[in-house]
Amino acid sequence: MVHTVSWDVVRYHDGGFIADSARLVGVGTTKANLFGLSLVADMFGSYLLTVPATVVLWRQLRADSPHDLVDVLALGGVAYGLIGAVTAAALATAGPPLIRQFAGGSALTSARTVFASDIHAALGVFQIPVVLSGGTWWLGSGLLVRRRWKWFGTYSAAFGAISIGAGVLKALGANLDLAVPATLVFAPIAIWIGWLGLCISKGSDLTPLA
């Protein structure tokens, strides 16, 4: 939530949210630090936090279904967390200096070009390998865990299928940048982690939360 709220503050301009991420180079020096801090929060909240969640769910699945498929699926979850975290950290480091350089009026064209290249590369990683690996894990683990937690499993499988679809569309050249709050886009990940935590703590199906 820290990431999504701060990211929306960075993106908010002239009464709306900036859809084209390359235009964030022009948000000004006052938002440069927030740009970096938001991505650090993204590194921890959206990605690294999913790794222990993945390990816990993997152990639950291995207890019920001791098959190699569970291990392969879990690797997708770990890849999602680690690759996403590294990409967020890289963008948090590279982005703020370019925003300040652009705001300072020096080498405007160079700053805009490098920033656009960096953020498009990062979005390519976020929206193709990260989303596909995470989506595979969410879909597969959701289907396998439905015997234990029906409604969480259904949610996880549906979220995974949608994520895979988005990754495929991006790989085919679709533009996934939308002028909507990032909080809406990232909320399903927070729900997945929180719901899994409740399932683990209660040890039973959480039908009322469906």
Side-chain angles (χ1 to χ4, degrees), residues 46-120:
S46 302
Y47 297 107
L48 290 182
L49 269 181
T50 66
V51 175
T54 293
V55 172
V56 170
L57 182 53
W58 167 75
R59 292 181 64 183
Q60 293 287 327
L61 292 174
R62 286 289 284 177
D64 294 339
S65 305
H67 301 298
D68 292 339
L69 175 62
V70 175
D71 298 338
V72 174
L73 290 172
L75 285 176
V78 173
Y80 166 87
L82 297 182
I83 298 173
V86 170
T87 305
L91 192 57
T93 302
L98 292 170
I99 293 173
R100 296 190 192 95
Q101 180 180 338
F102 185 85
S106 60
L108 292 178
T109 302
S110 175
R112 181 189 293 111
T113 302
V114 174
F115 184 88
S117 177
D118 287 350
I119 203 159
H120 285 149

Side-chain angles (χ1 to χ4, degrees), residues 149-155 191-202 204-210:
W149 300 313
K150 177 181 178 181
W151 295 107
F152 169 75
T154 301
Y155 172 83
I191 293 171
W192 185 86
I193 297 174
W195 197 344
L196 174 61
L198 288 173
C199 287
I200 296 296
S201 65
K202 290 182 176 292
S204 61
D205 197 358
L206 299 182
T207 302
L209 294 183

Side-chain angles (χ1 to χ4, degrees), residues 93-197:
T93 302
L98 292 170
I99 293 173
R100 296 190 192 95
Q101 180 180 338
F102 185 85
S106 60
L108 292 178
T109 302
S110 175
R112 181 189 293 111
T113 302
V114 174
F115 184 88
S117 177
D118 287 350
I119 203 159
H120 285 149
L123 288 175
V125 176
F126 285 140
Q127 296 176 352
I128 299 179
V130 170
V131 165
L132 289 177
S133 58
T136 301
W137 166 238
W138 296 321
L139 172 60
S141 64
L143 293 175
L144 292 175
V145 84
R146 288 186 77 249
R147 289 181 298 172
R148 181 187 290 255
W149 300 313
K150 177 181 178 181
W151 295 107
F152 169 75
T154 301
Y155 172 83
S156 182
F159 177 40
I162 293 171
S163 300
I164 291 172
V168 170
L169 287 175
K170 180 65 177 180
L172 293 176
N175 181 11
L176 302 182
D177 291 344
L178 300 173
V180 297
T183 304
L184 296 177
V185 177
F186 284 87
I189 300 173
I191 293 171
W192 185 86
I193 297 174
W195 197 344
L196 174 61

